[in-house]
Amino acid sequence: LLDAEGRVIASTNPSVPLGLRLYSPEIEAALQSHTAHDVRHTGNEELAYAAAPVLYEGDILGVIQVAAPMQPAYQDARERWVELIIEAGVILLLSLAVSLWLGQTITRPIRQLHASALRIANGALDERILIKSKDEIGQLGQAFNYMATQVSNLLNMQRSFVSNAAHELRTPLMSLKLRTQSLLTENLPDDQKTTYLQEIDSEVNRLASVVTDLLILARIDEGKHERRLEPFDVSAFFSDVARQANIQARQHHQQFRAALPDSLPDVAIGMNDLRIVLDNLLSNAMKYTPIEGTILLEVSSDTHLHIQVSDTGEGFAPEHQSLLFERFYRVDRPNGRLVSGTGLGLAVVKTIVEHYGGQIQANSSGVGKGATFTVTLPLAA
Ligand SMILES: Nc1ncnc2c1ncn2[C@@H]1O[C@H](COP(=O)(O)OP(=O)(O)OP(=O)(O)O)[C@@H](O)[C@H]1O
Ligand SMILES: [Mg+2]
């Protein structure tokens, strides 16, 4: 404790004589009314000094100076540093472990996906991924499995299509072979020869129609079927179709009727393709309708063109409704009545109609109750 002149009044340090004028930067500052501090070596000890003025109504009464060794403070700071370095090391190690674990959980499923994709590419179509999470990786896995299933289904469809097609071509080829063999090796009477040649002719026609159907399907599958949209006289077209159907129905001893409006708008389908659609629907109606039955062709238009081919024939049970349009699908006839056909006609019709953005539906009130096929086609723009 110093007085206003900087002389010692009292001290905790017994080696400091009372009345001694002390000089140091912090004391000089305190005598000027400022609080200050300083660090100095005293002997071989480093000390921190602080001094503050004692004021009374603005006048300096004296100065208080305190001193403390720096050593404990340095010790404290060193210990804090060591603690900090250890803490930082632990945090670094922990975050390294977490990022490694995260990396593993993200990359492991991706590596599995990669390996599965390669196995599928090499022909293992049954390969699927085990999905453990619901996050983005899990969703990716689900999409991957769905894709694998679709690819496998498509490939199976293609394979059965090819084997069915080969079978359908083989049967007529075998009977052709038998007939030509007989004609070449046996000494047949003329009328027998003629019969065989007529059989060959009709088999060749059947083969040609199967090949045509297969080609239409293959072209549309490949995306190579053109959408020929040259305008044609739709009314004249249907009149012509009705005229020919009338002749054919008479040959089958069936009734044919047509309900056609006087004029019909242009429709967004190629004329040859529309001809294929109608030929198939009308020939089916005649094929699956007994003699004396009736076949009806109705055409109308609003925002679309509606074509309806109905018959009073054998119809079909509800379970066949959606299957009739599948390739090679034919309804088994319990009474064993054999009707020639490949089961491609309606598949071709549906493929063409949908190729032009139209729709087709099959309806029947049941076996023996006739069938109705309804085609809806967009009008020309
Ligand atoms: N009008 C119809 N009435 C009853 N069943 C029908 C009718 N049209 C088709 N079906 C059934 O649908 C099946 C498939 O018809 P689709 O035209 O595809 O083949 P198909 O006539 O048997 O042979 P093709 O390839 O020579 O046309 C037929 O076998 C028949 O069972
Ligand atoms: Mg048919």
PDB file of all heavy atoms in Angstrom, residues 255-288:
ATOM      1  N   GLN A 255     -75.289 -64.670 -91.741  1.00  0.00           N
ATOM      2  CA  GLN A 255     -75.846 -63.364 -92.081  1.00  0.00           C
ATOM      3  C   GLN A 255     -74.797 -62.300 -91.774  1.00  0.00           C
ATOM      4  O   GLN A 255     -74.100 -62.407 -90.769  1.00  0.00           O
ATOM      5  CB  GLN A 255     -77.054 -63.049 -91.183  1.00  0.00           C
ATOM      6  CG  GLN A 255     -78.110 -64.114 -91.109  1.00  0.00           C
ATOM      7  CD  GLN A 255     -79.036 -64.002 -92.313  1.00  0.00           C
ATOM      8  OE1 GLN A 255     -79.317 -62.883 -92.764  1.00  0.00           O
ATOM      9  NE2 GLN A 255     -79.458 -65.143 -92.836  1.00  0.00           N
ATOM     10  N   PHE A 256     -74.719 -61.298 -92.650  1.00  0.00           N
ATOM     11  CA  PHE A 256     -73.852 -60.170 -92.319  1.00  0.00           C
ATOM     12  C   PHE A 256     -74.645 -58.881 -92.424  1.00  0.00           C
ATOM     13  O   PHE A 256     -75.406 -58.693 -93.367  1.00  0.00           O
ATOM     14  CB  PHE A 256     -72.646 -60.100 -93.261  1.00  0.00           C
ATOM     15  CG  PHE A 256     -71.811 -58.868 -93.025  1.00  0.00           C
ATOM     16  CD1 PHE A 256     -70.909 -58.828 -91.976  1.00  0.00           C
ATOM     17  CD2 PHE A 256     -71.955 -57.739 -93.826  1.00  0.00           C
ATOM     18  CE1 PHE A 256     -70.160 -57.687 -91.730  1.00  0.00           C
ATOM     19  CE2 PHE A 256     -71.209 -56.588 -93.584  1.00  0.00           C
ATOM     20  CZ  PHE A 256     -70.300 -56.578 -92.530  1.00  0.00           C
ATOM     21  N   ARG A 257     -74.486 -58.017 -91.417  1.00  0.00           N
ATOM     22  CA  ARG A 257     -75.139 -56.710 -91.481  1.00  0.00           C
ATOM     23  C   ARG A 257     -74.146 -55.625 -91.097  1.00  0.00           C
ATOM     24  O   ARG A 257     -73.270 -55.859 -90.270  1.00  0.00           O
ATOM     25  CB  ARG A 257     -76.360 -56.661 -90.548  1.00  0.00           C
ATOM     26  CG  ARG A 257     -77.575 -57.313 -91.225  1.00  0.00           C
ATOM     27  CD  ARG A 257     -78.842 -57.075 -90.444  1.00  0.00           C
ATOM     28  NE  ARG A 257     -78.926 -57.993 -89.318  1.00  0.00           N
ATOM     29  CZ  ARG A 257     -79.118 -57.599 -88.070  1.00  0.00           C
ATOM     30  NH1 ARG A 257     -79.210 -56.312 -87.776  1.00  0.00           N
ATOM     31  NH2 ARG A 257     -79.216 -58.482 -87.110  1.00  0.00           N
ATOM     32  N   ALA A 258     -74.327 -54.470 -91.729  1.00  0.00           N
ATOM     33  CA  ALA A 258     -73.420 -53.357 -91.398  1.00  0.00           C
ATOM     34  C   ALA A 258     -74.246 -52.113 -91.111  1.00  0.00           C
ATOM     35  O   ALA A 258     -75.254 -51.863 -91.772  1.00  0.00           O
ATOM     36  CB  ALA A 258     -72.468 -53.092 -92.554  1.00  0.00           C
ATOM     37  N   ALA A 259     -73.848 -51.372 -90.081  1.00  0.00           N
ATOM     38  CA  ALA A 259     -74.484 -50.087 -89.772  1.00  0.00           C
ATOM     39  C   ALA A 259     -73.421 -49.006 -89.910  1.00  0.00           C
ATOM     40  O   ALA A 259     -72.615 -48.795 -89.012  1.00  0.00           O
ATOM     41  CB  ALA A 259     -75.061 -50.115 -88.361  1.00  0.00           C
ATOM     42  N   LEU A 260     -73.416 -48.356 -91.100  1.00  0.00           N
ATOM     43  CA  LEU A 260     -72.382 -47.354 -91.380  1.00  0.00           C
ATOM     44  C   LEU A 260     -73.033 -45.997 -91.596  1.00  0.00           C
ATOM     45  O   LEU A 260     -74.008 -45.893 -92.340  1.00  0.00           O
ATOM     46  CB  LEU A 260     -71.596 -47.731 -92.635  1.00  0.00           C
ATOM     47  CG  LEU A 260     -70.998 -49.136 -92.695  1.00  0.00           C
ATOM     48  CD1 LEU A 260     -70.356 -49.387 -94.063  1.00  0.00           C
ATOM     49  CD2 LEU A 260     -69.957 -49.318 -91.601  1.00  0.00           C
ATOM     50  N   PRO A 261     -72.527 -44.950 -90.967  1.00  0.00           N
ATOM     51  CA  PRO A 261     -73.076 -43.609 -91.222  1.00  0.00           C
ATOM     52  C   PRO A 261     -72.701 -43.140 -92.637  1.00  0.00           C
ATOM     53  O   PRO A 261     -71.779 -43.695 -93.243  1.00  0.00           O
ATOM     54  CB  PRO A 261     -72.413 -42.738 -90.158  1.00  0.00           C
ATOM     55  CG  PRO A 261     -71.282 -43.518 -89.627  1.00  0.00           C
ATOM     56  CD  PRO A 261     -71.413 -44.933 -90.027  1.00  0.00           C
ATOM     57  N   ASP A 262     -73.411 -42.127 -93.127  1.00  0.00           N
ATOM     58  CA  ASP A 262     -73.170 -41.656 -94.504  1.00  0.00           C
ATOM     59  C   ASP A 262     -71.758 -41.111 -94.658  1.00  0.00           C
ATOM     60  O   ASP A 262     -71.119 -41.298 -95.678  1.00  0.00           O
ATOM     61  CB  ASP A 262     -74.189 -40.576 -94.873  1.00  0.00           C
ATOM     62  CG  ASP A 262     -75.568 -41.185 -95.039  1.00  0.00           C
ATOM     63  OD1 ASP A 262     -75.624 -42.418 -95.289  1.00  0.00           O
ATOM     64  OD2 ASP A 262     -76.564 -40.459 -94.864  1.00  0.00           O
ATOM     65  N   SER A 263     -71.303 -40.395 -93.625  1.00  0.00           N
ATOM     66  CA  SER A 263     -69.938 -39.859 -93.755  1.00  0.00           C
ATOM     67  C   SER A 263     -69.173 -40.118 -92.460  1.00  0.00           C
ATOM     68  O   SER A 263     -69.760 -40.161 -91.373  1.00  0.00           O
ATOM     69  CB  SER A 263     -69.984 -38.370 -94.067  1.00  0.00           C
ATOM     70  OG  SER A 263     -70.187 -37.657 -92.883  1.00  0.00           O
ATOM     71  N   LEU A 264     -67.880 -40.307 -92.624  1.00  0.00           N
ATOM     72  CA  LEU A 264     -67.026 -40.569 -91.455  1.00  0.00           C
ATOM     73  C   LEU A 264     -65.806 -39.659 -91.510  1.00  0.00           C
ATOM     74  O   LEU A 264     -65.285 -39.382 -92.595  1.00  0.00           O
ATOM     75  CB  LEU A 264     -66.582 -42.041 -91.448  1.00  0.00           C
ATOM     76  CG  LEU A 264     -67.642 -43.044 -91.010  1.00  0.00           C
ATOM     77  CD1 LEU A 264     -67.223 -44.463 -91.353  1.00  0.00           C
ATOM     78  CD2 LEU A 264     -67.914 -42.934 -89.507  1.00  0.00           C
ATOM     79  N   PRO A 265     -65.342 -39.176 -90.347  1.00  0.00           N
ATOM     80  CA  PRO A 265     -64.182 -38.269 -90.353  1.00  0.00           C
ATOM     81  C   PRO A 265     -62.886 -39.033 -90.641  1.00  0.00           C
ATOM     82  O   PRO A 265     -62.852 -40.260 -90.532  1.00  0.00           O
ATOM     83  CB  PRO A 265     -64.167 -37.716 -88.928  1.00  0.00           C
ATOM     84  CG  PRO A 265     -64.835 -38.769 -88.114  1.00  0.00           C
ATOM     85  CD  PRO A 265     -65.826 -39.460 -88.996  1.00  0.00           C
ATOM     86  N   ASP A 266     -61.849 -38.267 -90.980  1.00  0.00           N
ATOM     87  CA  ASP A 266     -60.529 -38.892 -91.171  1.00  0.00           C
ATOM     88  C   ASP A 266     -60.048 -39.445 -89.844  1.00  0.00           C
ATOM     89  O   ASP A 266     -60.268 -38.857 -88.784  1.00  0.00           O
ATOM     90  CB  ASP A 266     -59.522 -37.861 -91.694  1.00  0.00           C
ATOM     91  CG  ASP A 266     -59.736 -37.604 -93.179  1.00  0.00           C
ATOM     92  OD1 ASP A 266     -60.433 -38.428 -93.821  1.00  0.00           O
ATOM     93  OD2 ASP A 266     -59.226 -36.583 -93.678  1.00  0.00           O
ATOM     94  N   VAL A 267     -59.364 -40.588 -89.916  1.00  0.00           N
ATOM     95  CA  VAL A 267     -58.950 -41.257 -88.700  1.00  0.00           C
ATOM     96  C   VAL A 267     -57.427 -41.430 -88.719  1.00  0.00           C
ATOM     97  O   VAL A 267     -56.810 -41.569 -89.780  1.00  0.00           O
ATOM     98  CB  VAL A 267     -59.712 -42.593 -88.567  1.00  0.00           C
ATOM     99  CG1 VAL A 267     -59.460 -43.512 -89.735  1.00  0.00           C
ATOM    100  CG2 VAL A 267     -59.403 -43.285 -87.252  1.00  0.00           C
ATOM    101  N   ALA A 268     -56.825 -41.392 -87.496  1.00  0.00           N
ATOM    102  CA  ALA A 268     -55.359 -41.402 -87.398  1.00  0.00           C
ATOM    103  C   ALA A 268     -54.805 -42.820 -87.422  1.00  0.00           C
ATOM    104  O   ALA A 268     -54.240 -43.304 -86.449  1.00  0.00           O
ATOM    105  CB  ALA A 268     -54.922 -40.675 -86.128  1.00  0.00           C
ATOM    106  N   ILE A 269     -54.988 -43.499 -88.550  1.00  0.00           N
ATOM    107  CA  ILE A 269     -54.399 -44.829 -88.705  1.00  0.00           C
ATOM    108  C   ILE A 269     -54.156 -45.065 -90.195  1.00  0.00           C
ATOM    109  O   ILE A 269     -54.901 -44.538 -91.039  1.00  0.00           O
ATOM    110  CB  ILE A 269     -55.322 -45.920 -88.100  1.00  0.00           C
ATOM    111  CG1 ILE A 269     -54.654 -47.310 -88.158  1.00  0.00           C
ATOM    112  CG2 ILE A 269     -56.679 -45.958 -88.771  1.00  0.00           C
ATOM    113  CD1 ILE A 269     -55.381 -48.403 -87.410  1.00  0.00           C
ATOM    114  N   GLY A 270     -53.122 -45.808 -90.522  1.00  0.00           N
ATOM    115  CA  GLY A 270     -52.858 -46.128 -91.914  1.00  0.00           C
ATOM    116  C   GLY A 270     -53.940 -47.053 -92.459  1.00  0.00           C
ATOM    117  O   GLY A 270     -54.452 -47.900 -91.723  1.00  0.00           O
ATOM    118  N   MET A 271     -54.283 -46.883 -93.753  1.00  0.00           N
ATOM    119  CA  MET A 271     -55.387 -47.659 -94.321  1.00  0.00           C
ATOM    120  C   MET A 271     -55.077 -49.161 -94.311  1.00  0.00           C
ATOM    121  O   MET A 271     -55.934 -49.975 -93.960  1.00  0.00           O
ATOM    122  CB  MET A 271     -55.682 -47.196 -95.744  1.00  0.00           C
ATOM    123  CG  MET A 271     -56.944 -47.821 -96.301  1.00  0.00           C
ATOM    124  SD  MET A 271     -57.370 -47.184 -97.908  1.00  0.00           S
ATOM    125  CE  MET A 271     -56.252 -48.083 -98.937  1.00  0.00           C
ATOM    126  N   ASN A 272     -53.841 -49.534 -94.642  1.00  0.00           N
ATOM    127  CA  ASN A 272     -53.500 -50.962 -94.672  1.00  0.00           C
ATOM    128  C   ASN A 272     -53.595 -51.584 -93.285  1.00  0.00           C
ATOM    129  O   ASN A 272     -54.037 -52.721 -93.134  1.00  0.00           O
ATOM    130  CB  ASN A 272     -52.087 -51.164 -95.221  1.00  0.00           C
ATOM    131  CG  ASN A 272     -52.035 -50.862 -96.704  1.00  0.00           C
ATOM    132  OD1 ASN A 272     -53.083 -50.901 -97.381  1.00  0.00           O
ATOM    133  ND2 ASN A 272     -50.856 -50.525 -97.199  1.00  0.00           N
ATOM    134  N   ASP A 273     -53.185 -50.814 -92.281  1.00  0.00           N
ATOM    135  CA  ASP A 273     -53.249 -51.327 -90.911  1.00  0.00           C
ATOM    136  C   ASP A 273     -54.702 -51.473 -90.456  1.00  0.00           C
ATOM    137  O   ASP A 273     -55.062 -52.444 -89.798  1.00  0.00           O
ATOM    138  CB  ASP A 273     -52.454 -50.422 -89.964  1.00  0.00           C
ATOM    139  CG  ASP A 273     -50.946 -50.594 -90.172  1.00  0.00           C
ATOM    140  OD1 ASP A 273     -50.551 -51.679 -90.639  1.00  0.00           O
ATOM    141  OD2 ASP A 273     -50.188 -49.662 -89.884  1.00  0.00           O
ATOM    142  N   LEU A 274     -55.546 -50.489 -90.822  1.00  0.00           N
ATOM    143  CA  LEU A 274     -56.965 -50.588 -90.455  1.00  0.00           C
ATOM    144  C   LEU A 274     -57.597 -51.804 -91.143  1.00  0.00           C
ATOM    145  O   LEU A 274     -58.437 -52.501 -90.583  1.00  0.00           O
ATOM    146  CB  LEU A 274     -57.696 -49.298 -90.846  1.00  0.00           C
ATOM    147  CG  LEU A 274     -59.149 -49.202 -90.386  1.00  0.00           C
ATOM    148  CD1 LEU A 274     -59.272 -49.362 -88.883  1.00  0.00           C
ATOM    149  CD2 LEU A 274     -59.772 -47.875 -90.813  1.00  0.00           C
ATOM    150  N   ARG A 275     -57.152 -52.102 -92.368  1.00  0.00           N
ATOM    151  CA  ARG A 275     -57.646 -53.261 -93.124  1.00  0.00           C
ATOM    152  C   ARG A 275     -57.283 -54.548 -92.362  1.00  0.00           C
ATOM    153  O   ARG A 275     -58.092 -55.443 -92.210  1.00  0.00           O
ATOM    154  CB  ARG A 275     -57.009 -53.249 -94.524  1.00  0.00           C
ATOM    155  CG  ARG A 275     -57.249 -54.479 -95.353  1.00  0.00           C
ATOM    156  CD  ARG A 275     -58.589 -54.476 -96.007  1.00  0.00           C
ATOM    157  NE  ARG A 275     -58.702 -53.392 -96.988  1.00  0.00           N
ATOM    158  CZ  ARG A 275     -59.787 -53.207 -97.750  1.00  0.00           C
ATOM    159  NH1 ARG A 275     -60.818 -54.022 -97.650  1.00  0.00           N
ATOM    160  NH2 ARG A 275     -59.829 -52.210 -98.595  1.00  0.00           N
ATOM    161  N   ILE A 276     -56.040 -54.609 -91.852  1.00  0.00           N
ATOM    162  CA  ILE A 276     -55.604 -55.799 -91.097  1.00  0.00           C
ATOM    163  C   ILE A 276     -56.483 -55.982 -89.850  1.00  0.00           C
ATOM    164  O   ILE A 276     -56.925 -57.088 -89.533  1.00  0.00           O
ATOM    165  CB  ILE A 276     -54.108 -55.677 -90.689  1.00  0.00           C
ATOM    166  CG1 ILE A 276     -53.217 -55.681 -91.943  1.00  0.00           C
ATOM    167  CG2 ILE A 276     -53.699 -56.803 -89.751  1.00  0.00           C
ATOM    168  CD1 ILE A 276     -51.757 -55.320 -91.693  1.00  0.00           C
ATOM    169  N   VAL A 277     -56.765 -54.867 -89.164  1.00  0.00           N
ATOM    170  CA  VAL A 277     -57.597 -54.909 -87.950  1.00  0.00           C
ATOM    171  C   VAL A 277     -58.966 -55.486 -88.282  1.00  0.00           C
ATOM    172  O   VAL A 277     -59.449 -56.424 -87.643  1.00  0.00           O
ATOM    173  CB  VAL A 277     -57.729 -53.487 -87.340  1.00  0.00           C
ATOM    174  CG1 VAL A 277     -58.813 -53.438 -86.281  1.00  0.00           C
ATOM    175  CG2 VAL A 277     -56.387 -53.024 -86.768  1.00  0.00           C
ATOM    176  N   LEU A 278     -59.607 -54.934 -89.330  1.00  0.00           N
ATOM    177  CA  LEU A 278     -60.972 -55.375 -89.669  1.00  0.00           C
ATOM    178  C   LEU A 278     -60.996 -56.792 -90.218  1.00  0.00           C
ATOM    179  O   LEU A 278     -61.893 -57.567 -89.893  1.00  0.00           O
ATOM    180  CB  LEU A 278     -61.598 -54.383 -90.642  1.00  0.00           C
ATOM    181  CG  LEU A 278     -62.102 -53.183 -89.853  1.00  0.00           C
ATOM    182  CD1 LEU A 278     -62.061 -51.929 -90.659  1.00  0.00           C
ATOM    183  CD2 LEU A 278     -63.492 -53.449 -89.304  1.00  0.00           C
ATOM    184  N   ASP A 279     -60.007 -57.134 -91.043  1.00  0.00           N
ATOM    185  CA  ASP A 279     -59.953 -58.501 -91.584  1.00  0.00           C
ATOM    186  C   ASP A 279     -59.892 -59.521 -90.451  1.00  0.00           C
ATOM    187  O   ASP A 279     -60.585 -60.535 -90.471  1.00  0.00           O
ATOM    188  CB  ASP A 279     -58.728 -58.674 -92.500  1.00  0.00           C
ATOM    189  CG  ASP A 279     -58.960 -58.035 -93.866  1.00  0.00           C
ATOM    190  OD1 ASP A 279     -60.116 -57.610 -94.115  1.00  0.00           O
ATOM    191  OD2 ASP A 279     -58.010 -57.948 -94.663  1.00  0.00           O
ATOM    192  N   ASN A 280     -59.058 -59.218 -89.452  1.00  0.00           N
ATOM    193  CA  ASN A 280     -58.917 -60.149 -88.328  1.00  0.00           C
ATOM    194  C   ASN A 280     -60.213 -60.262 -87.523  1.00  0.00           C
ATOM    195  O   ASN A 280     -60.645 -61.356 -87.187  1.00  0.00           O
ATOM    196  CB  ASN A 280     -57.775 -59.708 -87.412  1.00  0.00           C
ATOM    197  CG  ASN A 280     -56.461 -60.353 -87.823  1.00  0.00           C
ATOM    198  OD1 ASN A 280     -56.319 -61.570 -87.763  1.00  0.00           O
ATOM    199  ND2 ASN A 280     -55.528 -59.547 -88.269  1.00  0.00           N
ATOM    200  N   LEU A 281     -60.802 -59.108 -87.186  1.00  0.00           N
ATOM    201  CA  LEU A 281     -62.003 -59.130 -86.346  1.00  0.00           C
ATOM    202  C   LEU A 281     -63.159 -59.817 -87.067  1.00  0.00           C
ATOM    203  O   LEU A 281     -63.892 -60.620 -86.483  1.00  0.00           O
ATOM    204  CB  LEU A 281     -62.391 -57.708 -85.928  1.00  0.00           C
ATOM    205  CG  LEU A 281     -61.409 -57.011 -84.984  1.00  0.00           C
ATOM    206  CD1 LEU A 281     -61.895 -55.608 -84.644  1.00  0.00           C
ATOM    207  CD2 LEU A 281     -61.186 -57.821 -83.707  1.00  0.00           C
ATOM    208  N   LEU A 282     -63.293 -59.511 -88.376  1.00  0.00           N
ATOM    209  CA  LEU A 282     -64.409 -60.105 -89.128  1.00  0.00           C
ATOM    210  C   LEU A 282     -64.165 -61.599 -89.377  1.00  0.00           C
ATOM    211  O   LEU A 282     -65.100 -62.410 -89.278  1.00  0.00           O
ATOM    212  CB  LEU A 282     -64.606 -59.354 -90.453  1.00  0.00           C
ATOM    213  CG  LEU A 282     -65.231 -57.961 -90.272  1.00  0.00           C
ATOM    214  CD1 LEU A 282     -65.081 -57.131 -91.538  1.00  0.00           C
ATOM    215  CD2 LEU A 282     -66.716 -58.077 -89.891  1.00  0.00           C
ATOM    216  N   SER A 283     -62.920 -61.974 -89.673  1.00  0.00           N
ATOM    217  CA  SER A 283     -62.672 -63.398 -89.931  1.00  0.00           C
ATOM    218  C   SER A 283     -62.831 -64.199 -88.636  1.00  0.00           C
ATOM    219  O   SER A 283     -63.344 -65.318 -88.648  1.00  0.00           O
ATOM    220  CB  SER A 283     -61.305 -63.633 -90.571  1.00  0.00           C
ATOM    221  OG  SER A 283     -60.295 -63.537 -89.603  1.00  0.00           O
ATOM    222  N   ASN A 284     -62.437 -63.615 -87.485  1.00  0.00           N
ATOM    223  CA  ASN A 284     -62.701 -64.278 -86.203  1.00  0.00           C
ATOM    224  C   ASN A 284     -64.204 -64.456 -85.993  1.00  0.00           C
ATOM    225  O   ASN A 284     -64.660 -65.539 -85.622  1.00  0.00           O
ATOM    226  CB  ASN A 284     -62.148 -63.449 -85.043  1.00  0.00           C
ATOM    227  CG  ASN A 284     -60.671 -63.709 -84.806  1.00  0.00           C
ATOM    228  OD1 ASN A 284     -60.095 -64.615 -85.409  1.00  0.00           O
ATOM    229  ND2 ASN A 284     -60.061 -62.923 -83.937  1.00  0.00           N
ATOM    230  N   ALA A 285     -64.954 -63.378 -86.213  1.00  0.00           N
ATOM    231  CA  ALA A 285     -66.406 -63.433 -85.992  1.00  0.00           C
ATOM    232  C   ALA A 285     -67.014 -64.562 -86.816  1.00  0.00           C
ATOM    233  O   ALA A 285     -67.874 -65.313 -86.337  1.00  0.00           O
ATOM    234  CB  ALA A 285     -67.035 -62.097 -86.353  1.00  0.00           C
ATOM    235  N   MET A 286     -66.542 -64.714 -88.034  1.00  0.00           N
ATOM    236  CA  MET A 286     -67.101 -65.767 -88.905  1.00  0.00           C
ATOM    237  C   MET A 286     -66.614 -67.145 -88.466  1.00  0.00           C
ATOM    238  O   MET A 286     -67.364 -68.121 -88.489  1.00  0.00           O
ATOM    239  CB  MET A 286     -66.718 -65.500 -90.356  1.00  0.00           C
ATOM    240  CG  MET A 286     -67.457 -64.284 -90.910  1.00  0.00           C
ATOM    241  SD  MET A 286     -66.902 -63.855 -92.565  1.00  0.00           S
ATOM    242  CE  MET A 286     -67.421 -62.150 -92.638  1.00  0.00           C
ATOM    243  N   LYS A 287     -65.323 -67.195 -88.048  1.00  0.00           N
ATOM    244  CA  LYS A 287     -64.724 -68.470 -87.647  1.00  0.00           C
ATOM    245  C   LYS A 287     -65.379 -69.030 -86.388  1.00  0.00           C
ATOM    246  O   LYS A 287     -65.584 -70.232 -86.255  1.00  0.00           O
ATOM    247  CB  LYS A 287     -63.228 -68.231 -87.374  1.00  0.00           C
ATOM    248  CG  LYS A 287     -62.339 -69.312 -87.903  1.00  0.00           C
ATOM    249  CD  LYS A 287     -60.886 -68.882 -88.105  1.00  0.00           C
ATOM    250  CE  LYS A 287     -60.163 -68.370 -86.904  1.00  0.00           C
ATOM    251  NZ  LYS A 287     -58.696 -68.390 -87.102  1.00  0.00           N
ATOM    252  N   TYR A 288     -65.685 -68.143 -85.452  1.00  0.00           N
ATOM    253  CA  TYR A 288     -66.183 -68.610 -84.152  1.00  0.00           C
ATOM    254  C   TYR A 288     -67.698 -68.454 -84.025  1.00  0.00           C
ATOM    255  O   TYR A 288     -68.225 -68.361 -82.930  1.00  0.00           O
ATOM    256  CB  TYR A 288     -65.440 -67.886 -83.026  1.00  0.00           C
ATOM    257  CG  TYR A 288     -63.936 -68.107 -83.134  1.00  0.00           C
ATOM    258  CD1 TYR A 288     -63.078 -67.089 -83.518  1.00  0.00           C
ATOM    259  CD2 TYR A 288     -63.401 -69.372 -82.905  1.00  0.00           C
ATOM    260  CE1 TYR A 288     -61.705 -67.313 -83.661  1.00  0.00           C
ATOM    261  CE2 TYR A 288     -62.039 -69.607 -83.058  1.00  0.00           C
ATOM    262  CZ  TYR A 288     -61.204 -68.571 -83.435  1.00  0.00           C
ATOM    263  OH  TYR A 288     -59.864 -68.811 -83.585  1.00  0.00           O
TER     264      TYR A 288
END
